[in-house]
Amino acid sequence: MAKRARVRAPELIGRGGWINTGGKEPGLAGLRGRIVIVDFWTFCCVNCLHVLDELRELEEKHRDTVVIIGVHSPKFVHEAEHRAVVDAVERYGVEHPVLDDPELATWKQYAVRAWPTLVVIDPEGYVVAQHAGEGHAHAIERLVRELEAEHGAKGTLRRGDGPYVAPEPEPTVLRFPGKALLLPSGNFLVSDTTRHQLVELEADGETVVRRIGSGARGFVDGAAGTASFSEPQGLALFEDGASVVVADTVNHALRRLDLGTGEVTTLAGTGRQWWQGSPTSGPAREIDLSSPWDVAVFGGKVWIAMAGVHQLWAYDPVEGTVAVAAGTTNEGLVDGPAAEAWFAQPSGLAASADRLWLADSETSALRWVDLDGRVHTAVGTGLFDFGHRDGAAEQALLQHPLGVTALPDGSVAVADTYNHALRRYDPATGEVTTLATDLREPSDAVLVGEDIVVVESARHRLTRLRLPEEAVRVAAVAHRTRRAATEVAPGRLRLDVIFQAPAGQKLDTRYGPSTRLLVSATPPALLLEGEGADTDLSRTLELDPAVAEGVLHVSAMAASCDDDPMNEYPACHVHQQDWGVPVRLTEGGADRLPLVLAGMDDAGTDCAGTDDAQTP
């Protein structure tokens, strides 16, 4: 077995305290003898949610040797609220201890630079691997098996139950509902996301008519009582009025519900997550999707907010095909022709006669697509500015909105999720106002006559409001994402993305280069040289000394396959991650920026406070 660099793991600390431990505070000393996987995540991040799903099988298979510890490290102000973290842990079915670290104390100790990041700690308390982004579960499982064998032989492996304590279930009618739809009957259909069901409610929004789905996480077609979903979200009525298309988010699929019979069938998706290099169009049942979050019928097609890859896709119900409609997979806010636009976790859709409106959650933006396919932004400036500010759209702020609703007068209501508010944008005046506050994580809204019914996701209910003639006034609050900036020297900066193929694998070069690196900056003037895409994971950047600070946007991808010459069809895996690295130009600052995609940085230590690093 190859020797691994051993770096002593810093202690896990966080002012918010522990969740899923029954009130106890597990420390690394108490976990000695177990293999610990630390998952740095934040609940706004769809890539983090993908990793939670990737880890479920590993967590179950190695439950007596492996302890997964989530460290919640917030991006948005709302995510620093302890109650919101507790809700998110239940909402996404997290079945391991979670440390709430609102001040990013443990994030800094481990020198983490991206959500999500996974750190593996061996039974003797040393960091042995670090992985950023998605697609690493297979490599981590192989490492776990090696550590089990190594430390089992040494006598340093301790088996048994971990510190996880399940919370008591709450007897509410809905549990973290995601989206709602007004049916032709006047009833509501609601995606009961955490319970993996759809629920039809009477017009009062409270009385249950029926439940569709078994309630167990799964991907099964069939009758209402036996079909299964996995965290369904968006709902849209087909033009025939007799069936509904469902964004079955964690199954990476579109499903169809027959309103008459309750029968559930699959329209699009394979159940597998789309990765770079996968087909982007074709027969709908043969194409992989990635976390479809909402759906809307626009121009005769079903448009899909494909949050997992920062794109809009479209399903053609006549042809039975699906294809990319807008977006490049790059995360950010760029307007223009559909094929050149950038999105960041589009999570809400609503169609009017001439516009497809969308809530672009990670840029805290309200955007739209016109009939010619061009993308526009009404509210929002990018990944790092958010808050609650009304007034002219150019300076108005939202905070991670998840839903949008077209209103009869041509304006739109926005479920401003992390501001706990319902906002309104009027294209005629260019003004943003607040319609209602004190809504707990609203994620969608439905127009019913002169009322608007809001999905209060974190209060587990539908709330009916009368649309006010005058908007509510609130004090303006503005925020920027606050992470400690990396001090770098002006001029030449060496960017190294660290990728070490997992044991037993090699870079997949059968069809050309197996790696890709894309670099840009905010503001763009920060980069004099080094912008753009290439296949080398190392690059020399030239930073403009006249720009005091900014953010480097780095997107990396690497493909590896099993290294077995006797296997004609080796298993292959894609590893990918996007970083937004705040930098401050300082004389005497670093002239090298290492970002770990997978492995350890041999040119330095990956964790802060590790003076006792050693190699056996």
Side-chain angles (χ1 to χ4, degrees):
M1 182 174 172
K3 291 184 177 181
R4 286 185 292 267
R6 281 157 50 97
V7 178
R8 178 65 70 182
E11 189 52 83
L12 305 175
I13 55 174
R15 183 174 56 81
W18 288 88
I19 303 165
N20 279 356
T21 62
K24 297 180 180 179
E25 298 188 4
L28 288 181
L31 296 174
R32 196 62 55 83
R34 310 296 295 276
I35 301 163
V36 178
I37 301 172
V38 183
D39 175 18
F40 289 89
W41 69 298
T42 189
F43 65 78
C44 73
C45 163
V46 71
N47 311 92
C48 299
L49 304 185
H50 291 166
V51 167
L52 287 176
D53 295 318
E54 289 177 3
L55 291 176
R56 292 186 202 280
E57 183 177 349
L58 184 149
E59 192 169 21
E60 180 59 34
K61 187 182 296 185
H62 299 273
R63 191 169 291 278
D64 66 334
T65 59
V66 171
V67 174
I68 296 178
I69 300 288
V71 176
H72 188 270
S73 312
K75 171 186 174 182
F76 289 97
V77 169
H78 170 60
E79 293 174 315
E81 298 176 15
H82 183 68
R83 179 69 249 173
V85 182
V86 172
D87 285 346
V89 167
E90 181 188 352
R91 181 195 300 268
Y92 297 116
V94 180
E95 296 184 353
H96 51 249
V98 173
L99 174 64
D100 180 12
D101 183 19
E103 297 171 339
L104 304 183
T106 296
W107 168 287
K108 295 171 186 173
Q109 285 291 311
Y110 280 78
V112 174
R113 296 185 185 273
W115 298 279
T117 291
L118 297 168
V119 175
V120 181
I121 303 172
D122 73 11
E124 294 180 291
Y126 291 93
V127 173
V128 292
Q130 180 172 325
H131 302 265
E134 306 176 48
H136 302 294
H138 69 286
I140 292 176
E141 180 168 13
R142 181 165 187 147
L143 175 57
V144 163
R145 292 198 302 266
E146 291 179 357
L147 291 172
E148 286 175 340
E150 176 187 352
H151 289 273
K154 290 172 63 176
T156 51
L157 182 69
R158 178 169 57 89
R159 297 178 180 269
D161 294 332
Y164 169 68
V165 177
E168 290 293 325
E170 298 285 344
T172 53
V173 172
L174 302 172
R175 203 69 191 162
F176 298 105
K179 306 288 185 180
L181 176 67
L182 183 65
L183 298 176
S185 65
N187 289 350
F188 296 98
L189 186 68
V190 183
S191 53
D192 197 14
T193 303
T194 298
R195 292 201 178 121
H196 315 296
Q197 291 181 319
L198 309 179
V199 180
E200 184 177 348
L201 301 175
E202 290 186 3
D204 62 6
E206 298 178 359
T207 305
V208 175
V209 176
R210 59 176 172 168
R211 293 182 178 271
I212 297 101
S214 65
R217 187 190 295 272
F219 189 13
V220 178
D221 287 343
T226 57
S228 58
F229 302 91
S230 187
E231 299 181 29
Q233 288 281 350
L235 308 165
L237 192 67
F238 274 115
E239 292 177 343
D240 62 7
S243 56
V244 172
V245 58
V246 182
D248 193 6
T249 303
V250 177
N251 279 329
H252 310 295
L254 296 188
R255 316 290 292 282
R256 177 184 178 273
L257 167 66
D258 186 305
L259 290 173
T261 65
E263 189 83 8
V264 176
T265 53
T266 298
L267 294 174
T270 63
R272 298 183 300 270
Q273 183 183 340
W274 187 94
W275 291 98
Q276 290 286 352
S278 301
T280 56
S281 64
R285 291 290 302 272
E286 299 174 13
I287 302 298
D288 298 340
L289 308 181
S290 183
S291 294
W293 210 275
D294 204 3
V295 284
V297 177
F298 181 64
K301 295 183 179 180
V302 177
W303 285 65
I304 309 163
M306 203 72 78
V309 286
H310 318 300
Q311 289 180 313
L312 302 179
W313 288 43
Y315 166 73
D316 187 329
V318 176
E319 299 294 331
T321 57
V322 68
V324 173
T328 64
T329 75
N330 294 326
E331 184 178 17
L333 193 155
V334 176
D335 290 338
E340 300 172 12
W342 292 22
F343 302 98
Q345 288 180 215
S347 301
L349 296 175
S352 64
D354 60 351
R355 294 183 180 185
L356 178 71
W357 293 97
L358 65 121
D360 203 30
S361 63
E362 279 293 282
T363 54
S364 296
L366 172 66
R367 306 176 73 184
W368 86 87
V369 182
D370 64 26
L371 293 174
D372 294 326
R374 292 189 67 86
V375 178
H376 310 260
T377 297
V379 182
T381 60
L383 289 165
F384 302 99
D385 293 295
F386 57 92
H388 193 152
R389 181 194 289 153
D390 287 338
E394 299 79 35
Q395 56 84 53
L397 294 173
L398 309 170
Q399 186 180 182
H400 198 80
L402 291 178
V404 61
T405 306
L407 301 179
D409 64 357
S411 67
V412 289
V414 180
D416 193 6
T417 309
Y418 288 3
N419 280 328
H420 309 299
L422 188 68
R423 312 287 292 284
R424 175 177 178 263
Y425 167 68
D426 186 350
T429 64
E431 293 286 311
V432 175
T433 52
T434 299
L435 298 176
T437 57
D438 193 31
L439 299 168
R440 188 70 186 169
E441 292 192 17
S443 55
D444 197 17
V446 181
L447 191 66
V448 185
E450 296 183 355
D451 294 343
I452 192 162
V453 175
V454 180
V455 179
E456 277 199 273
S457 187
R459 284 199 177 113
H460 320 292
R461 70 187 188 190
L462 304 186
T463 299
R464 185 180 293 261
L465 304 172
R466 178 57 56 93
L467 283 173
E469 294 183 6
E470 293 186 5
V472 177
R473 296 191 180 276
V474 297
V477 178
H479 302 286
R480 282 186 64 82
T481 298
R482 300 188 66 180
R483 278 176 283 158
T486 298
E487 293 192 348
V488 297
R492 298 172 72 84
L493 176 69
R494 182 67 176 178
L495 171 65
D496 290 326
V497 173
I498 312 302
F499 178 75
Q500 296 162 1
Q505 294 188 13
K506 65 179 180 179
L507 288 174
D508 178 16
T509 57
R510 292 172 299 164
Y511 307 108
S514 60
T515 57
R516 177 177 180 267
L517 179 65
L518 175 68
V519 181
S520 61
T522 302
L526 174 64
L527 271 179
L528 294 175
E529 292 182 15
E531 183 180 7
D534 203 345
T535 58
D536 194 340
L537 291 181
S538 293
R539 188 180 303 179
T540 298
L541 311 179
E542 185 77 21
L543 306 183
D544 188 345
V547 180
E549 60 182 19
V551 177
L552 291 174
H553 306 285
V554 181
S555 178
M557 184 272 289
S560 62
C561 291
D562 290 346
D563 187 9
D564 182 358
M566 302 302 294
N567 185 354
E568 185 178 358
Y569 303 104
C572 297
H573 306 274
V574 176
H575 317 255
Q576 62 185 47
Q577 174 59 18
D578 297 332
W579 291 268
V581 183
V583 295
R584 181 180 301 112
L585 274 59
T586 307
E587 292 296 338
D591 60 4
R592 177 177 179 266
L593 177 62
L595 300 175
V596 177
L597 178 60
M600 301 284 280
D601 179 17
D602 294 333
T605 58
D606 293 303
C607 297
T610 53
D611 293 336
D612 60 341
Q614 56 181 294
T615 302

